[in-house]
Amino acid sequence: MTVFSKLFAPVYAPCSDYVHPWTTSCYTASAGLLLHALQASFRLYVTVYVLALLMKGHKPTAKDIRRTFYGIFQSTAFLGCHAVGFSLLACAFRNIFGHYNFFTFAFLPTFISSWLAILVERPSRRSLLSLYVTNIASETLYYMLVWRKVVKPIPFADVLIFMSSISCLLYLYRSPYRASESIYSLLSFIVGPHEQIGYSPDSPQSDSTSKTFSKPKKVVASKKSPTLLHQTMTMYCQLIQIIKMYLKSVGRSDYCSHPNGCLYYCLEGGAKVFVTGYGLQLCLKILMQLKKIIKRPTLLFRAVKSSETFSLGVFLGGFSFLYRLISCTLRRRMKKDSQAIAIPAGFLAGFTFYFYRSNTIALYVMWKTLQILYLAGRDNNIFPNVPHASIFFHCLSTAILFQAAIFEPQNLRSSYWNFLSNISGGRIAIMNRKALDLYGLESVKMVEMIRARHRRS
């Protein structure tokens, strides 16, 4: 039997053995799955939406609260439709055709249920959800190819993907085409608004940090007798102000749009982003270990000086510093500003990603870049307009992920497997995979290995 014909070979496994071995009733199984999925989804989205509301930084209005509650219930219904849709359709395919094949076990039921579920979700969130699952699905496909020995693992593939993608993304950031993308706001914070083509120093978007240090702060002397510590701190503050004023007044290129000197511009940007990254990582570490820190306060000091805590700050701060430094240097050498400067500057600065490697971030930047490239090409009549493209990619990617969760969970990102286990109440792990042995993927063995790993952890 050829590989292709094996994919469509009928497998006469009843759905009560495969989909819901804990009960013989399809409707009972689907109803139980729906109830658990709604409970787990509600807890998840309450946390997500409430945090988003609090991060707005202002007192929520009645309209904000109503919108938050509506978003929680709508997103909860979205995940609930996903779960119950898969269960019902997997049983329906078996009852209609009288058997399963490679595609009707998980791929087709998930694709159809995803299409129905995404229509429940808000249109403004569909593109974000599509980008999220496409990110994970592309990583999963790569691991599937590696596991099959079709491709060999590429050392530092995540770093190379990030370096090439961020250079292209920064090229788009510096282009006249301005898509309404939230990632541009993040780039503006990291590399600065002055790196945009046509940026004017008199623009109302001027960098807040340049205003912050526009005037040297006066050191107020204490009326009490100055101690040695106070004198030392006073001298230190005065020295810092002198260094700032010196750096701000020298070395500015006529081809740079930023205020102050180039060296000050690079150091100030790198330091600001480093502190922000370090602070975010420290807060996250404290929140994740809060119970342990309360019992053992010494863990707080370990978190403060841990190399993991510094990693995000080193990555972001180093990226900002190198990007600005390379950009200023190239402007001086070329004696002009150019959009093309973003490519070498972004690529070389992207090497700092080595200090905070993450497949999620690397693939997000890659897919976000491709999305903006497509939108730019579509708006300029280079690419055709594809209706419902985000919905299609969401459904395709989700189907790939469910197919992997059923047939080869070892190639699925562990965080996504945990998410599926949480939503399904652990049902995804106890589905009977013995009927899948026909395809030679060792599905039963692999899911037992995953379950044993989680029991140990």
Side-chain angles (χ1 to χ4, degrees):
M1 182 182 293
T2 63
V3 175
F4 184 77
S5 61
K6 185 187 292 187
L7 298 179
F8 292 94
V11 179
Y12 297 97
C15 61
S16 58
D17 285 354
Y18 158 59
V19 183
H20 46 86
W22 55 88
T23 179
T24 57
S25 171
C26 300
Y27 298 108
T28 301
S30 298
L33 179 60
L34 175 62
L35 289 175
H36 191 92
L38 290 175
Q39 293 175 19
S41 303
F42 183 77
R43 290 194 299 267
L44 170 66
Y45 282 116
V46 163
T47 304
V48 171
Y49 277 90
V50 170
L51 282 177
L53 183 63
L54 295 175
M55 288 178 66
K56 289 184 177 180
H58 60 79
K59 184 178 179 180
T61 62
K63 184 178 180 181
D64 292 333
I65 295 174
R66 285 196 301 270
R67 187 180 299 170
T68 299
F69 275 105
Y70 183 74
I72 291 171
F73 288 116
Q74 192 170 14
S75 295
T76 298
F78 156 71
L79 276 186
C81 287
H82 253 306
V84 72
F86 167 77
S87 179
L88 287 174
L89 286 169
C91 293
F93 274 112
R94 171 61 178 84
N95 293 326
I96 292 171
F97 298 108
H99 59 79
Y100 285 109
N101 62 44
F102 185 78
F103 297 101
T104 58
F105 272 111
F107 187 88
L108 286 177
T110 305
F111 188 93
I112 298 172
S113 65
S114 298
W115 196 287
L116 297 174
I118 197 67
L119 297 179
V120 177
E121 186 57 278
R122 288 184 301 168
S124 59
R125 278 178 49 83
R126 292 172 187 173
S127 178
L128 180 64
L129 288 167
S130 176
L131 192 65
Y132 169 71
V133 292
T134 302
N135 182 329
I136 305 175
S138 58
E139 180 186 19
T140 303
L141 285 173
Y142 169 74
Y143 287 136
M144 289 166 69
L145 293 174
V146 171
W147 188 77
R148 289 166 171 77
K149 299 182 180 179
V150 176
V151 299
K152 293 182 179 180
I154 304 172
F156 305 106
D158 52 343
V159 179
L160 293 173
I161 289 173
F162 179 82
M163 292 172 69
S164 56
S165 300
I166 198 66
S167 61
C168 183
L169 185 60
L170 285 164
Y171 179 85
L172 294 170
Y173 171 72
R174 301 201 70 198
S175 69
Y177 174 78
R178 304 299 296 170
S180 56
E181 296 290 342
S182 58
I183 197 170
Y184 280 174
S185 300
L186 179 61
L187 290 177
S188 179
F189 172 76
I190 295 175
V191 303
H194 305 281
E195 296 302 324
Q196 300 176 25
I197 290 293
Y199 177 83
S200 172
D202 300 324
S203 169
Q205 297 177 343
S206 58
D207 196 353
S208 60
T209 53
S210 63
K211 295 179 182 178
T212 304
F213 299 114
S214 58
K215 293 181 180 180
K217 297 179 181 179
K218 294 181 180 180
V219 180
V220 181
S222 174
K223 294 182 180 180
K224 298 180 180 180
S225 300
T227 63
L228 178 61
L229 177 60
H230 178 74
Q231 290 178 337
T232 304
M233 291 302 297
T234 301
M235 293 177 60
Y236 171 78
C237 292
Q238 291 175 345
L239 178 62
I240 292 297
Q241 292 301 326
I242 292 171
I243 294 173
K244 286 182 179 178
M245 294 301 297
Y246 175 76
L247 291 174
K248 289 169 70 174
S249 61
V250 298
R252 181 181 180 274
S253 169
D254 294 334
Y255 309 103
C256 296
S257 62
H258 60 78
N260 309 316
C262 290
L263 183 57
Y264 177 84
Y265 171 67
C266 299
L267 291 172
E268 179 259 349
K272 177 189 71 173
V273 179
F274 168 79
V275 171
T276 303
Y278 174 80
L280 286 173
Q281 189 76 350
L282 179 60
C283 291
L284 182 62
K285 205 172 186 66
I286 291 174
L287 286 174
M288 292 179 65
Q289 300 181 356
L290 188 58
K291 292 183 179 179
K292 294 181 179 180
I293 289 175
I294 293 174
K295 294 178 181 179
R296 295 177 57 193
T298 54
L299 293 176
L300 177 61
F301 298 101
R302 291 186 183 179
V304 169
K305 62 181 183 179
S306 171
S307 59
E308 293 182 2
T309 310
F310 280 91
S311 59
L312 181 60
V314 171
F315 158 49
L316 294 178
F319 183 90
S320 177
F321 172 77
L322 285 177
Y323 182 83
R324 294 186 181 200
L325 179 65
I326 295 168
S327 297
C328 289
T329 303
L330 291 176
R331 281 191 284 262
R332 287 170 177 268
R333 299 286 294 181
M334 297 169 61
K335 296 184 179 180
K336 66 175 183 179
D337 195 6
S338 171
Q339 180 185 356
I341 286 175
I343 296 177
F347 187 82
L348 294 174
F351 178 74
T352 58
F353 186 70
Y354 173 81
F355 299 101
Y356 190 78
R357 297 175 63 180
S358 167
N359 289 343
T360 302
I361 295 176
L363 292 172
Y364 172 79
V365 173
M366 181 189 76
W367 285 111
K368 195 65 180 178
T369 302
L370 293 174
Q371 183 188 46
I372 296 175
L373 278 172
Y374 165 74
L375 293 175
R378 184 198 63 184
D379 293 345
N380 289 281
N381 298 319
I382 298 174
F383 301 136
N385 182 31
V386 181
H388 310 300
S390 62
I391 294 178
F392 173 78
F393 277 104
H394 173 269
C395 299
L396 178 63
S397 300
T398 306
I400 292 172
L401 292 173
F402 268 69
Q403 185 84 350
I406 298 299
F407 281 86
E408 42 193 309
Q410 76 280 8
N411 293 321
L412 194 65
R413 187 184 296 180
S414 59
S415 60
Y416 196 77
W417 173 263
N418 293 337
F419 166 76
L420 293 178
S421 297
N422 182 41
I423 294 298
S424 67
R427 291 170 175 83
I428 190 72
I430 60 176
M431 291 174 65
N432 192 342
R433 291 164 170 81
K434 289 182 179 179
L436 309 182
D437 288 342
L438 168 69
Y439 304 104
L441 297 174
E442 300 180 321
S443 304
V444 175
K445 176 182 176 181
M446 293 304 168
V447 77
E448 287 298 328
M449 180 184 70
I450 297 294
R451 292 174 64 183
R453 184 190 305 166
H454 281 270
R455 282 196 296 267
R456 288 195 300 269
S457 60

